[in-house]
Amino acid sequence: MKKPFLTLAQAREIVKTYPTPFHIYDERGIRENARALRTAFAWNPGFKEYFAVKATPTPGILKILREEGCGVDCASLTELMLSERCGFSGKEIVFSSNETPAEEFQLADKLGAYINLDDLTHVDFLHKALGRVPQWVCCRFNPGGVFTLGESEEGFQVMDEPGQAKYGMTRPQLAQAFTRLRELGAEHFGIHAFLASNTISNEYYPALARLLFQTAADVARETGCHVAFIDLSGGIGVPYRPDQSANDIAAIGEGVRRAYEEILVPAGMGDVAIFTELGRFMLAPFGHLITTAIHEKHIYKEYIGVDACAANLMRPSMYGAYHHITVLGKEDAPCGQVYDVVGSLCENSDKFAIDRALPEVEIGDLLAIHDTGAHGFSMGYNYNGKLRSAELLLREDGSVELMRRAETPDDYFATLIW
């Protein structure tokens, strides 16, 4: 059963200062999770987590993660700028982008970031943009085909189609890129890949690691290039549904360690550092969207209208994604009513839940929409003139800190030419 990290009493006190809707994050949970990840990979001296900034581009969150030893994974100019202002620099930054303008490569290089190239043609593009190539550089690998892990212990099949993804290089291109980069002055190389999203399986990361470790050993042997790090990227998921089991990060770390010792160590590559670029796993469970029930409607179905909408959390409307909902103060009440929980956008897809069994919802009830800590606020938009909400931090001592104020109409109109 999913339980919110916020009580009704806490929420009622918060809304006296910060009206709903708002996103709120759990500092204690974030820190404990970051430490569990670091412990799981402590066997690798060079290990570092590079948090995917796109998941939660909020300075208050990024600074907490930096305090916990994390770096950042950036994919755009403004993400690089944001990260620099939060104190990240040098090898605390991985820049993984695609279809990248020259000025973005230039800023990444100026900051001393690891640059992860998405395509073979980007090698010469980078050289032209910088007038050289960095000594440390990474290349993204796409193995093609279909990646299937099969049924996990949780009964979840991991499957994705790398061959249909726009990202990364083929295996022959990877070797060509390494060779060309070395000709241009690169000395230390990394390999990166992403095969599946939001996996609820302890076997995904070890399977990805085996693929990348063998690829790294083969490419190093073929090209003579020094592979210094392997970036396992993201893909470790979270249990959005209450009947799903959470990943065991300790078991995942152990599975990667076994693959490392079986493949890389015998190849004389026991100095390779392991990087991760987790966003969802790091933050999703530690964020809630808090919203107030403001209307009810009784037609062909029963509806509860709330003051949040898809502009605050677009995953349900965009992907049909499930997000659990708790009616605060009614956690133990029977779920005897079935509702569609909807927002106010002029789109019929603006639904946080469809045919969801909940306790009876009354006007004024506060609802916590779970697992919005990653790809929640960050995917927001202003359709229908909707304004982005505030972001709050529930500190470990129980106090609440404003990390981002809510937008105002002046913000919405600021870029207009009248």
Side-chain angles (χ1 to χ4, degrees):
M1 178 179 177
K2 280 184 173 290
K3 294 183 178 180
F5 57 76
L6 195 69
T7 66
L8 176 60
Q10 287 174 305
R12 282 177 171 167
E13 190 62 30
I14 292 168
V15 299
K16 293 177 182 178
T17 305
Y18 306 108
T20 57
F22 56 78
H23 286 268
I24 187 165
Y25 305 87
D26 177 21
E27 179 186 14
R28 184 184 303 278
I30 293 167
R31 290 189 183 276
E32 289 178 350
N33 196 47
R35 292 167 190 172
L37 173 66
R38 190 171 68 242
T39 298
F41 285 88
W43 54 266
N44 182 259
F47 172 77
K48 196 170 187 69
E49 155 63 11
Y50 289 87
F51 175 70
V53 174
K54 64 179 178 288
T56 319
T58 306
I61 296 298
L62 298 182
K63 291 176 182 178
I64 288 172
L65 292 173
R66 187 167 188 266
E67 289 172 2
E68 295 297 335
C70 299
V72 283
D73 164 44
C74 299
S76 70
L77 187 74
T78 47
E79 288 185 357
L80 286 168
M81 296 168 68
L82 171 64
S83 298
E84 181 185 20
R85 290 192 63 175
C86 289
F88 294 93
S89 64
K91 296 304 183 277
E92 291 180 314
I93 304 171
V94 168
F95 183 57
S96 293
S97 61
N98 65 97
E99 315 311 331
T100 310
E103 60 266 30
E104 299 192 7
F105 279 137
Q106 290 162 359
L107 179 56
D109 180 63
K110 179 181 177 182
L111 295 177
Y114 292 114
I115 294 176
N116 183 25
L117 297 177
D118 184 65
D119 187 69
L120 176 60
T121 63
H122 294 180
V123 173
D124 286 323
F125 185 90
L126 178 69
H127 182 259
K128 182 178 179 181
L130 304 183
R132 57 179 178 77
V133 298
Q135 289 186 337
W136 296 72
V137 69
C138 184
C139 292
R140 184 166 183 167
F141 171 50
N142 183 333
V146 176
F147 173 77
T148 304
L149 188 58
E151 297 293 325
S152 70
E153 293 180 359
E154 295 83 10
F156 180 84
Q157 187 180 52
V158 178
M159 184 179 73
D160 217 326
E161 296 186 65
Q164 297 299 317
K166 68 174 182 175
Y167 308 106
M169 309 178 193
T170 66
R171 171 63 179 79
Q173 288 175 338
L174 186 66
Q176 292 176 56
F178 274 32
T179 300
R180 177 61 177 153
L181 285 163
R182 186 176 60 181
E183 291 172 355
L184 294 172
E187 297 179 7
H188 307 286
F189 298 81
I191 297 177
H192 169 286
F194 179 90
L195 298 187
S197 180
N198 193 38
T199 62
I200 308 296
S201 168
N202 294 335
E203 300 307 315
Y204 167 64
Y205 239 32
L208 170 63
R210 287 184 179 279
L211 172 64
L212 286 186
F213 294 168
Q214 190 61 60
T215 300
D218 292 344
V219 171
R221 184 178 63 253
E222 291 173 20
T223 66
C225 293
H226 174 233
V227 177
F229 62 92
I230 294 175
D231 191 332
L232 299 177
S233 66
I236 298 179
V238 300
Y240 284 102
R241 296 179 180 272
D243 58 347
Q244 291 177 316
S245 299
N247 283 315
D248 182 343
I249 196 61
I252 291 171
E254 175 61 18
V256 175
R257 183 194 64 79
R258 288 197 298 270
Y260 188 99
E261 293 187 352
E262 291 172 13
I263 299 172
L264 289 182
V265 172
M269 299 172 66
D271 62 337
V272 172
I274 301 300
F275 297 166
T276 57
E277 294 176 357
L278 301 171
R280 192 190 315 265
F281 175 81
M282 296 297 290
L283 255 295
F286 311 110
H288 294 333
L289 173 59
I290 305 299
T291 183
T292 302
I294 59 174
H295 289 289
E296 57 183 73
K297 187 170 185 175
H298 317 284
I299 49 172
Y300 307 105
K301 302 180 75 172
E302 296 296 304
Y303 294 91
I304 293 295
V306 297
D307 60 0
C309 65
N312 305 109
L313 177 66
M314 75 184 300
R315 295 187 73 255
S317 65
M318 184 176 186
Y319 304 123
Y322 180 96
H323 279 265
H324 197 64
I325 297 176
T326 295
V327 184
L328 293 177
K330 299 181 180 180
E331 290 86 350
D332 298 321
C335 294
Q337 304 292 323
V338 176
Y339 302 105
D340 282 13
V341 180
V342 301
S344 59
L345 287 188
C346 298
E347 295 288 341
N348 195 46
S349 62
D350 184 16
K351 298 178 179 180
F352 293 113
I354 298 174
D355 296 330
R356 184 72 59 85
L358 292 170
E360 183 177 359
V361 180
E362 301 172 272
I363 301 304
D365 277 350
L366 293 170
L367 281 60
I369 303 178
H370 290 246
D371 301 313
T372 68
H375 312 289
F377 178 93
S378 67
M379 295 180 74
Y381 52 99
N382 290 120
Y383 179 61
N384 262 178
K386 294 296 183 180
L387 303 176
R388 298 189 188 214
S389 67
E391 288 185 291
L392 310 177
L393 181 66
L394 178 64
R395 307 291 318 211
E396 291 184 287
D397 63 6
S399 63
V400 173
E401 178 180 313
L402 178 67
M403 295 192 296
R404 187 193 303 262
R405 65 166 175 81
E407 286 184 340
T408 68
D410 285 343
D411 296 318
Y412 181 77
F413 296 134
T415 59
L416 297 179
I417 307 299
W418 296 97

